[in-house]
Short mmCIF file of all heavy atoms in Angstrom, two decimals:
data_model
loop_
_atom_site.label_atom_id
_atom_site.label_comp_id
_atom_site.label_asym_id
_atom_site.label_seq_id
_atom_site.Cartn_x
_atom_site.Cartn_y
_atom_site.Cartn_z
N MET A 1 3.35 -0.29 20.36
CA MET A 1 3.85 -1.62 20.08
C MET A 1 4.57 -2.14 21.32
O MET A 1 5.38 -1.43 21.91
CB MET A 1 4.78 -1.59 18.88
CG MET A 1 4.05 -1.25 17.59
SD MET A 1 5.04 -1.39 16.09
CE MET A 1 6.44 -0.41 16.42
N ALA A 2 4.29 -3.33 21.67
CA ALA A 2 4.82 -3.90 22.90
C ALA A 2 6.32 -4.14 22.86
O ALA A 2 6.97 -4.13 23.89
CB ALA A 2 4.09 -5.20 23.20
N ASP A 3 6.88 -4.33 21.70
CA ASP A 3 8.30 -4.68 21.62
C ASP A 3 9.23 -3.50 21.36
O ASP A 3 10.38 -3.67 21.05
CB ASP A 3 8.52 -5.77 20.58
CG ASP A 3 8.13 -5.31 19.18
OD1 ASP A 3 7.40 -4.32 19.06
OD2 ASP A 3 8.54 -5.98 18.21
N THR A 4 8.75 -2.28 21.47
CA THR A 4 9.59 -1.11 21.26
C THR A 4 9.51 -0.19 22.48
O THR A 4 8.48 -0.09 23.14
CB THR A 4 9.18 -0.32 20.01
OG1 THR A 4 7.84 0.12 20.17
CG2 THR A 4 9.31 -1.16 18.76
N ALA A 5 10.60 0.48 22.72
CA ALA A 5 10.65 1.43 23.84
C ALA A 5 10.09 2.77 23.41
O ALA A 5 10.19 3.14 22.23
CB ALA A 5 12.09 1.60 24.30
N PRO A 6 9.51 3.52 24.31
CA PRO A 6 9.02 4.85 23.96
C PRO A 6 10.21 5.78 23.70
O PRO A 6 11.34 5.47 24.09
CB PRO A 6 8.25 5.28 25.21
CG PRO A 6 8.82 4.48 26.31
CD PRO A 6 9.26 3.18 25.70
N PRO A 7 9.97 6.91 23.04
CA PRO A 7 11.07 7.85 22.79
C PRO A 7 11.72 8.27 24.11
O PRO A 7 11.04 8.50 25.09
CB PRO A 7 10.38 9.04 22.13
CG PRO A 7 9.09 8.51 21.62
CD PRO A 7 8.70 7.39 22.51
N ASP A 8 13.04 8.37 24.09
CA ASP A 8 13.73 8.77 25.31
C ASP A 8 13.84 10.30 25.38
O ASP A 8 13.46 11.02 24.46
CB ASP A 8 15.10 8.10 25.42
CG ASP A 8 16.04 8.51 24.30
OD1 ASP A 8 15.70 9.40 23.49
OD2 ASP A 8 17.14 7.94 24.23
N ALA A 9 14.37 10.79 26.49
CA ALA A 9 14.46 12.23 26.73
C ALA A 9 15.32 12.92 25.69
O ALA A 9 15.01 14.04 25.25
CB ALA A 9 14.99 12.49 28.13
N ALA A 10 16.41 12.28 25.25
CA ALA A 10 17.29 12.89 24.25
C ALA A 10 16.56 13.07 22.93
O ALA A 10 16.70 14.11 22.26
CB ALA A 10 18.53 12.04 24.06
N PHE A 11 15.78 12.07 22.52
CA PHE A 11 15.02 12.18 21.28
C PHE A 11 14.00 13.32 21.38
O PHE A 11 13.87 14.14 20.46
CB PHE A 11 14.30 10.87 20.97
CG PHE A 11 13.38 10.98 19.79
CD1 PHE A 11 13.87 10.92 18.50
CD2 PHE A 11 12.02 11.16 19.96
CE1 PHE A 11 13.02 11.03 17.40
CE2 PHE A 11 11.16 11.27 18.89
CZ PHE A 11 11.67 11.21 17.60
N LEU A 12 13.27 13.37 22.48
CA LEU A 12 12.25 14.41 22.64
C LEU A 12 12.88 15.80 22.69
O LEU A 12 12.32 16.74 22.14
CB LEU A 12 11.42 14.14 23.90
CG LEU A 12 10.57 12.87 23.84
CD1 LEU A 12 9.90 12.62 25.17
CD2 LEU A 12 9.55 12.93 22.72
N LYS A 13 14.04 15.93 23.32
CA LYS A 13 14.74 17.22 23.35
C LYS A 13 15.16 17.62 21.94
O LYS A 13 15.01 18.78 21.54
CB LYS A 13 15.95 17.14 24.28
CG LYS A 13 16.70 18.44 24.41
CD LYS A 13 15.83 19.52 25.02
CE LYS A 13 16.60 20.81 25.18
NZ LYS A 13 15.76 21.91 25.63
N GLY A 14 15.68 16.67 21.17
CA GLY A 14 16.06 16.96 19.78
C GLY A 14 14.87 17.39 18.95
O GLY A 14 14.95 18.31 18.14
N LEU A 15 13.75 16.71 19.14
CA LEU A 15 12.53 17.06 18.42
C LEU A 15 12.07 18.47 18.79
O LEU A 15 11.66 19.25 17.94
CB LEU A 15 11.44 16.04 18.73
CG LEU A 15 10.14 16.13 17.94
CD1 LEU A 15 10.40 15.99 16.45
CD2 LEU A 15 9.18 15.05 18.42
N GLU A 16 12.17 18.79 20.08
CA GLU A 16 11.80 20.13 20.55
C GLU A 16 12.71 21.19 19.93
O GLU A 16 12.24 22.23 19.48
CB GLU A 16 11.90 20.17 22.07
CG GLU A 16 11.54 21.51 22.67
CD GLU A 16 11.70 21.52 24.18
OE1 GLU A 16 11.86 20.45 24.80
OE2 GLU A 16 11.66 22.63 24.75
N LEU A 17 14.00 20.92 19.87
CA LEU A 17 14.94 21.87 19.26
C LEU A 17 14.64 22.07 17.77
O LEU A 17 14.66 23.19 17.27
CB LEU A 17 16.38 21.39 19.44
CG LEU A 17 16.92 21.45 20.86
CD1 LEU A 17 18.26 20.73 20.96
CD2 LEU A 17 17.05 22.89 21.33
N PHE A 18 14.36 20.98 17.08
CA PHE A 18 14.05 21.05 15.66
C PHE A 18 12.77 21.86 15.43
O PHE A 18 12.72 22.74 14.56
CB PHE A 18 13.90 19.64 15.07
CG PHE A 18 13.48 19.64 13.64
CD1 PHE A 18 14.37 19.98 12.65
CD2 PHE A 18 12.18 19.32 13.29
CE1 PHE A 18 13.98 20.00 11.31
CE2 PHE A 18 11.78 19.34 11.96
CZ PHE A 18 12.68 19.67 10.97
N ALA A 19 11.73 21.58 16.20
CA ALA A 19 10.47 22.31 16.06
C ALA A 19 10.67 23.80 16.33
O ALA A 19 10.12 24.65 15.63
CB ALA A 19 9.41 21.72 17.00
N GLY A 20 11.48 24.11 17.34
CA GLY A 20 11.77 25.52 17.64
C GLY A 20 12.51 26.19 16.50
O GLY A 20 12.23 27.35 16.15
N TYR A 21 13.46 25.49 15.89
CA TYR A 21 14.19 26.05 14.76
C TYR A 21 13.26 26.35 13.59
O TYR A 21 13.30 27.42 13.00
CB TYR A 21 15.30 25.09 14.31
CG TYR A 21 16.00 25.56 13.06
CD1 TYR A 21 17.04 26.47 13.13
CD2 TYR A 21 15.59 25.12 11.81
CE1 TYR A 21 17.66 26.93 11.99
CE2 TYR A 21 16.20 25.56 10.65
CZ TYR A 21 17.24 26.48 10.75
OH TYR A 21 17.84 26.93 9.61
N VAL A 22 12.41 25.38 13.26
CA VAL A 22 11.48 25.58 12.14
C VAL A 22 10.50 26.71 12.45
O VAL A 22 10.21 27.54 11.59
CB VAL A 22 10.73 24.26 11.81
CG1 VAL A 22 9.61 24.50 10.81
CG2 VAL A 22 11.70 23.22 11.28
N ARG A 23 10.02 26.78 13.69
CA ARG A 23 9.10 27.85 14.07
C ARG A 23 9.78 29.21 13.94
O ARG A 23 9.19 30.16 13.45
CB ARG A 23 8.60 27.63 15.50
CG ARG A 23 7.58 28.64 15.95
CD ARG A 23 6.99 28.37 17.34
NE ARG A 23 8.01 28.08 18.35
CZ ARG A 23 8.19 26.90 18.93
NH1 ARG A 23 7.44 25.87 18.60
NH2 ARG A 23 9.13 26.73 19.84
N THR A 24 11.04 29.31 14.34
CA THR A 24 11.77 30.58 14.30
C THR A 24 12.20 30.96 12.89
O THR A 24 12.08 32.11 12.48
CB THR A 24 13.03 30.50 15.20
OG1 THR A 24 12.62 30.18 16.52
CG2 THR A 24 13.78 31.80 15.19
N ASN A 25 12.70 30.00 12.14
CA ASN A 25 13.29 30.28 10.83
C ASN A 25 12.39 29.95 9.66
O ASN A 25 12.71 30.30 8.53
CB ASN A 25 14.59 29.49 10.69
CG ASN A 25 15.59 29.90 11.73
OD1 ASN A 25 16.07 31.02 11.72
ND2 ASN A 25 15.88 29.02 12.66
N GLY A 26 11.30 29.28 9.91
CA GLY A 26 10.41 28.90 8.82
C GLY A 26 11.01 27.78 8.00
O GLY A 26 12.12 27.33 8.22
N SER A 27 10.24 27.32 7.07
CA SER A 27 10.68 26.26 6.18
C SER A 27 9.96 26.41 4.85
O SER A 27 8.76 26.64 4.82
CB SER A 27 10.38 24.89 6.78
OG SER A 27 10.69 23.88 5.85
N THR A 28 10.70 26.28 3.78
CA THR A 28 10.09 26.33 2.45
C THR A 28 9.87 24.93 1.90
O THR A 28 9.41 24.78 0.77
CB THR A 28 10.98 27.12 1.47
OG1 THR A 28 12.25 26.49 1.40
CG2 THR A 28 11.14 28.56 1.92
N ALA A 29 10.21 23.93 2.68
CA ALA A 29 10.05 22.55 2.23
C ALA A 29 8.58 22.18 2.11
O ALA A 29 7.77 22.53 2.96
CB ALA A 29 10.75 21.60 3.20
N LEU A 30 8.26 21.50 1.06
CA LEU A 30 6.91 20.99 0.88
C LEU A 30 6.96 19.48 1.09
O LEU A 30 7.70 18.78 0.41
CB LEU A 30 6.39 21.30 -0.53
CG LEU A 30 6.30 22.79 -0.87
CD1 LEU A 30 5.91 22.97 -2.32
CD2 LEU A 30 5.29 23.47 0.04
N ALA A 31 6.23 19.02 2.04
CA ALA A 31 6.25 17.59 2.34
C ALA A 31 5.64 16.78 1.20
O ALA A 31 4.60 17.16 0.67
CB ALA A 31 5.49 17.32 3.64
N PRO A 32 6.28 15.68 0.83
CA PRO A 32 5.76 14.82 -0.23
C PRO A 32 4.66 13.92 0.33
O PRO A 32 4.78 12.70 0.33
CB PRO A 32 7.00 14.03 -0.66
CG PRO A 32 7.78 13.92 0.61
CD PRO A 32 7.55 15.21 1.35
N THR A 33 3.61 14.53 0.83
CA THR A 33 2.59 13.81 1.57
C THR A 33 2.03 12.62 0.82
O THR A 33 1.95 11.52 1.35
CB THR A 33 1.43 14.76 1.94
OG1 THR A 33 2.00 15.95 2.48
CG2 THR A 33 0.52 14.15 2.95
N CYS A 34 1.65 12.81 -0.40
CA CYS A 34 1.01 11.73 -1.17
C CYS A 34 1.96 10.55 -1.33
O CYS A 34 1.58 9.41 -1.10
CB CYS A 34 0.56 12.25 -2.52
SG CYS A 34 -0.30 11.03 -3.51
N ARG A 35 3.19 10.82 -1.73
CA ARG A 35 4.15 9.73 -1.94
C ARG A 35 4.47 9.01 -0.64
O ARG A 35 4.57 7.79 -0.60
CB ARG A 35 5.44 10.25 -2.57
CG ARG A 35 5.27 10.62 -4.02
CD ARG A 35 6.58 10.86 -4.71
NE ARG A 35 7.56 11.53 -3.87
CZ ARG A 35 8.35 12.50 -4.28
NH1 ARG A 35 8.29 12.92 -5.50
NH2 ARG A 35 9.22 13.05 -3.46
N LEU A 36 4.64 9.77 0.45
CA LEU A 36 4.96 9.13 1.72
C LEU A 36 3.78 8.34 2.26
O LEU A 36 3.95 7.26 2.83
CB LEU A 36 5.43 10.17 2.74
CG LEU A 36 6.81 10.75 2.45
CD1 LEU A 36 7.19 11.75 3.55
CD2 LEU A 36 7.86 9.67 2.34
N GLU A 37 2.58 8.84 2.08
CA GLU A 37 1.40 8.08 2.49
C GLU A 37 1.32 6.76 1.73
O GLU A 37 0.99 5.72 2.30
CB GLU A 37 0.12 8.89 2.29
CG GLU A 37 -0.05 10.00 3.30
CD GLU A 37 -1.30 10.82 3.05
OE1 GLU A 37 -2.14 10.44 2.22
OE2 GLU A 37 -1.43 11.87 3.69
N HIS A 38 1.63 6.81 0.44
CA HIS A 38 1.65 5.60 -0.38
C HIS A 38 2.68 4.62 0.16
O HIS A 38 2.42 3.41 0.24
CB HIS A 38 1.95 5.94 -1.84
CG HIS A 38 2.19 4.75 -2.69
ND1 HIS A 38 1.17 3.90 -3.08
CD2 HIS A 38 3.33 4.23 -3.19
CE1 HIS A 38 1.69 2.92 -3.80
NE2 HIS A 38 3.00 3.10 -3.89
N GLU A 39 3.85 5.13 0.55
CA GLU A 39 4.90 4.26 1.08
C GLU A 39 4.46 3.61 2.39
O GLU A 39 4.70 2.42 2.61
CB GLU A 39 6.20 5.04 1.30
CG GLU A 39 6.93 5.36 0.02
CD GLU A 39 7.31 4.09 -0.72
OE1 GLU A 39 7.99 3.22 -0.15
OE2 GLU A 39 6.92 3.96 -1.90
N VAL A 40 3.82 4.36 3.26
CA VAL A 40 3.34 3.80 4.53
C VAL A 40 2.29 2.71 4.25
O VAL A 40 2.32 1.63 4.85
CB VAL A 40 2.76 4.90 5.45
CG1 VAL A 40 2.03 4.30 6.64
CG2 VAL A 40 3.87 5.83 5.91
N ASP A 41 1.37 2.98 3.34
CA ASP A 41 0.37 1.98 2.97
C ASP A 41 1.03 0.73 2.40
O ASP A 41 0.64 -0.40 2.72
CB ASP A 41 -0.63 2.54 1.96
CG ASP A 41 -1.55 3.58 2.55
OD1 ASP A 41 -1.66 3.65 3.80
OD2 ASP A 41 -2.15 4.34 1.77
N ARG A 42 2.03 0.91 1.55
CA ARG A 42 2.72 -0.21 0.94
C ARG A 42 3.43 -1.06 2.01
O ARG A 42 3.33 -2.29 2.01
CB ARG A 42 3.75 0.29 -0.09
CG ARG A 42 4.50 -0.83 -0.81
CD ARG A 42 5.55 -0.26 -1.76
NE ARG A 42 6.60 0.45 -1.04
CZ ARG A 42 7.62 -0.14 -0.41
NH1 ARG A 42 7.72 -1.44 -0.38
NH2 ARG A 42 8.53 0.59 0.20
N LEU A 43 4.11 -0.38 2.94
CA LEU A 43 4.81 -1.12 3.99
C LEU A 43 3.82 -1.83 4.92
O LEU A 43 4.07 -2.96 5.35
CB LEU A 43 5.70 -0.17 4.79
CG LEU A 43 6.92 0.37 4.02
CD1 LEU A 43 7.58 1.48 4.82
CD2 LEU A 43 7.89 -0.73 3.71
N ALA A 44 2.71 -1.18 5.24
CA ALA A 44 1.70 -1.79 6.11
C ALA A 44 1.08 -3.02 5.45
O ALA A 44 0.77 -4.00 6.11
CB ALA A 44 0.63 -0.78 6.46
N ALA A 45 0.91 -2.98 4.14
CA ALA A 45 0.30 -4.10 3.42
C ALA A 45 1.21 -5.33 3.41
O ALA A 45 0.73 -6.45 3.22
CB ALA A 45 -0.03 -3.68 1.99
N ARG A 46 2.49 -5.14 3.67
CA ARG A 46 3.42 -6.29 3.68
C ARG A 46 3.20 -7.18 4.88
O ARG A 46 3.60 -8.34 4.86
CB ARG A 46 4.87 -5.80 3.67
CG ARG A 46 5.26 -5.18 2.36
CD ARG A 46 6.72 -4.86 2.25
NE ARG A 46 7.46 -4.79 3.50
CZ ARG A 46 8.69 -4.30 3.61
NH1 ARG A 46 9.29 -3.83 2.56
NH2 ARG A 46 9.30 -4.27 4.77
N THR A 47 2.60 -6.67 5.95
CA THR A 47 2.40 -7.45 7.18
C THR A 47 0.95 -7.34 7.64
O THR A 47 0.68 -6.82 8.73
CB THR A 47 3.35 -6.97 8.29
OG1 THR A 47 3.16 -5.57 8.46
CG2 THR A 47 4.80 -7.25 7.96
N PRO A 48 -0.01 -7.82 6.85
CA PRO A 48 -1.42 -7.63 7.18
C PRO A 48 -1.88 -8.34 8.45
O PRO A 48 -2.82 -7.89 9.09
CB PRO A 48 -2.15 -8.18 5.96
CG PRO A 48 -1.19 -9.15 5.34
CD PRO A 48 0.18 -8.59 5.62
N ASP A 49 -1.25 -9.42 8.86
CA ASP A 49 -1.68 -10.17 10.04
C ASP A 49 -0.83 -9.87 11.26
O ASP A 49 -0.88 -10.60 12.24
CB ASP A 49 -1.66 -11.66 9.74
CG ASP A 49 -2.64 -12.02 8.63
OD1 ASP A 49 -3.70 -11.37 8.56
OD2 ASP A 49 -2.34 -12.93 7.84
N SER A 50 -0.07 -8.81 11.21
CA SER A 50 0.85 -8.48 12.30
C SER A 50 0.28 -7.34 13.14
O SER A 50 -0.53 -6.55 12.68
CB SER A 50 2.20 -8.07 11.72
OG SER A 50 3.05 -7.61 12.74
N SER A 51 0.72 -7.25 14.39
CA SER A 51 0.32 -6.13 15.23
C SER A 51 1.18 -4.90 14.94
O SER A 51 0.92 -3.82 15.46
CB SER A 51 0.45 -6.50 16.71
OG SER A 51 1.80 -6.77 17.02
N VAL A 52 2.20 -5.07 14.12
CA VAL A 52 3.05 -3.95 13.74
C VAL A 52 2.29 -3.07 12.75
O VAL A 52 1.74 -3.57 11.77
CB VAL A 52 4.36 -4.47 13.09
CG1 VAL A 52 5.21 -3.33 12.59
CG2 VAL A 52 5.12 -5.32 14.09
N ILE A 53 2.24 -1.79 13.03
CA ILE A 53 1.49 -0.87 12.16
C ILE A 53 2.17 -0.73 10.81
O ILE A 53 1.54 -0.80 9.77
CB ILE A 53 1.32 0.50 12.82
CG1 ILE A 53 0.47 0.36 14.09
CG2 ILE A 53 0.69 1.51 11.86
CD1 ILE A 53 0.39 1.60 14.93
N VAL A 54 3.47 -0.53 10.83
CA VAL A 54 4.23 -0.38 9.59
C VAL A 54 5.47 -1.25 9.70
O VAL A 54 6.17 -1.22 10.71
CB VAL A 54 4.63 1.09 9.35
CG1 VAL A 54 5.50 1.22 8.11
CG2 VAL A 54 3.40 1.97 9.23
N ALA A 55 5.73 -2.01 8.65
CA ALA A 55 6.91 -2.86 8.63
C ALA A 55 8.18 -2.02 8.60
O ALA A 55 8.15 -0.82 8.32
CB ALA A 55 6.86 -3.77 7.40
N ARG A 56 9.29 -2.66 8.85
CA ARG A 56 10.58 -1.96 8.82
C ARG A 56 10.76 -1.27 7.47
O ARG A 56 10.50 -1.86 6.42
CB ARG A 56 11.68 -3.00 9.05
CG ARG A 56 13.05 -2.42 9.12
CD ARG A 56 14.05 -3.52 9.46
NE ARG A 56 15.39 -2.99 9.49
CZ ARG A 56 15.96 -2.45 10.55
NH1 ARG A 56 15.31 -2.40 11.68
NH2 ARG A 56 17.19 -1.98 10.50
N PRO A 57 11.21 -0.01 7.47
CA PRO A 57 11.41 0.71 6.21
C PRO A 57 12.38 -0.04 5.30
O PRO A 57 13.27 -0.74 5.77
CB PRO A 57 12.02 2.04 6.65
CG PRO A 57 11.59 2.20 8.05
CD PRO A 57 11.51 0.82 8.63
N ASP A 58 12.20 0.13 4.02
CA ASP A 58 13.08 -0.52 3.07
C ASP A 58 13.72 0.51 2.16
O ASP A 58 13.55 1.71 2.33
CB ASP A 58 12.32 -1.58 2.27
CG ASP A 58 11.16 -1.00 1.46
OD1 ASP A 58 11.02 0.24 1.40
OD2 ASP A 58 10.40 -1.79 0.89
N ARG A 59 14.47 0.06 1.20
CA ARG A 59 15.24 0.95 0.32
C ARG A 59 14.34 1.90 -0.46
O ARG A 59 14.70 3.04 -0.72
CB ARG A 59 16.08 0.10 -0.63
CG ARG A 59 17.06 0.89 -1.44
CD ARG A 59 18.15 1.43 -0.55
NE ARG A 59 18.58 2.73 -1.04
CZ ARG A 59 19.39 3.53 -0.40
NH1 ARG A 59 19.88 3.21 0.75
NH2 ARG A 59 19.73 4.68 -0.90
N GLN A 60 13.16 1.45 -0.85
CA GLN A 60 12.26 2.29 -1.63
C GLN A 60 11.85 3.53 -0.84
O GLN A 60 11.83 4.64 -1.38
CB GLN A 60 11.03 1.49 -2.05
CG GLN A 60 10.15 2.22 -3.03
CD GLN A 60 9.06 1.31 -3.58
OE1 GLN A 60 9.22 0.10 -3.64
NE2 GLN A 60 7.96 1.88 -3.97
N LEU A 61 11.55 3.37 0.44
CA LEU A 61 11.21 4.51 1.28
C LEU A 61 12.41 5.43 1.46
O LEU A 61 12.28 6.66 1.37
CB LEU A 61 10.70 4.05 2.64
CG LEU A 61 10.37 5.16 3.64
CD1 LEU A 61 9.29 6.09 3.09
CD2 LEU A 61 9.93 4.58 4.97
N VAL A 62 13.58 4.86 1.66
CA VAL A 62 14.80 5.66 1.79
C VAL A 62 15.02 6.49 0.54
O VAL A 62 15.34 7.68 0.61
CB VAL A 62 16.01 4.75 2.08
CG1 VAL A 62 17.31 5.54 2.02
CG2 VAL A 62 15.86 4.07 3.43
N ASP A 63 14.85 5.88 -0.63
CA ASP A 63 15.01 6.61 -1.89
C ASP A 63 14.05 7.78 -1.99
O ASP A 63 14.42 8.88 -2.43
CB ASP A 63 14.83 5.67 -3.08
CG ASP A 63 15.96 4.66 -3.21
OD1 ASP A 63 17.03 4.86 -2.59
OD2 ASP A 63 15.75 3.65 -3.90
N GLU A 64 12.78 7.58 -1.59
CA GLU A 64 11.79 8.66 -1.62
C GLU A 64 12.21 9.81 -0.71
O GLU A 64 12.13 10.98 -1.08
CB GLU A 64 10.42 8.15 -1.18
CG GLU A 64 9.74 7.24 -2.17
CD GLU A 64 9.21 7.96 -3.40
OE1 GLU A 64 9.01 9.19 -3.35
OE2 GLU A 64 8.99 7.28 -4.40
N LEU A 65 12.68 9.49 0.48
CA LEU A 65 13.10 10.53 1.42
C LEU A 65 14.35 11.26 0.94
O LEU A 65 14.44 12.48 1.06
CB LEU A 65 13.33 9.93 2.81
CG LEU A 65 12.08 9.44 3.51
CD1 LEU A 65 12.46 8.65 4.77
CD2 LEU A 65 11.15 10.58 3.85
N GLN A 66 15.29 10.54 0.35
CA GLN A 66 16.49 11.19 -0.17
C GLN A 66 16.16 12.10 -1.34
O GLN A 66 16.71 13.19 -1.47
CB GLN A 66 17.52 10.13 -0.57
CG GLN A 66 18.19 9.52 0.63
CD GLN A 66 19.20 8.46 0.24
OE1 GLN A 66 19.13 7.86 -0.83
NE2 GLN A 66 20.12 8.20 1.15
N GLU A 67 15.24 11.67 -2.19
CA GLU A 67 14.83 12.53 -3.31
C GLU A 67 14.19 13.82 -2.80
O GLU A 67 14.45 14.89 -3.30
CB GLU A 67 13.85 11.77 -4.21
CG GLU A 67 13.40 12.57 -5.41
CD GLU A 67 12.41 11.81 -6.28
OE1 GLU A 67 12.53 10.58 -6.38
OE2 GLU A 67 11.52 12.46 -6.85
N PHE A 68 13.38 13.68 -1.76
CA PHE A 68 12.71 14.86 -1.19
C PHE A 68 13.72 15.83 -0.60
O PHE A 68 13.57 17.03 -0.73
CB PHE A 68 11.71 14.41 -0.12
CG PHE A 68 11.14 15.55 0.68
CD1 PHE A 68 10.31 16.48 0.09
CD2 PHE A 68 11.47 15.70 2.01
CE1 PHE A 68 9.79 17.54 0.81
CE2 PHE A 68 10.96 16.76 2.74
CZ PHE A 68 10.11 17.67 2.14
N THR A 69 14.75 15.32 0.06
CA THR A 69 15.69 16.19 0.75
C THR A 69 16.84 16.66 -0.13
O THR A 69 17.63 17.50 0.28
CB THR A 69 16.26 15.51 2.01
OG1 THR A 69 16.91 14.31 1.62
CG2 THR A 69 15.16 15.23 3.01
N ALA A 70 16.98 16.14 -1.33
CA ALA A 70 18.07 16.52 -2.22
C ALA A 70 18.02 18.01 -2.53
O ALA A 70 16.97 18.58 -2.81
CB ALA A 70 17.99 15.72 -3.51
N GLY A 71 19.15 18.64 -2.40
CA GLY A 71 19.23 20.05 -2.75
C GLY A 71 18.68 21.00 -1.70
O GLY A 71 18.53 22.18 -1.93
N ARG A 72 18.39 20.51 -0.52
CA ARG A 72 17.87 21.38 0.54
C ARG A 72 18.93 21.63 1.57
O ARG A 72 19.74 20.93 1.90
CB ARG A 72 16.65 20.76 1.19
CG ARG A 72 15.45 20.84 0.26
CD ARG A 72 14.21 20.33 1.00
NE ARG A 72 12.93 20.56 0.45
CZ ARG A 72 12.49 20.29 -0.75
NH1 ARG A 72 13.29 19.82 -1.63
NH2 ARG A 72 11.26 20.49 -1.11
#
């Protein structure tokens, strides 16, 4: 997207640290793939004539992510 900056070095370092942690310690989390895919499709459908792939996240997506991470 032309109006956003690429990830900076700090973000990439954090991502690398997180991936290393998961690789070392494993994860029992099951990604809510179907629900999240539905959310991405729903957000993308809100801006069909835009060059933006996915519109800004809204409360519904936040609720889905919080439900997934609850108790972990």
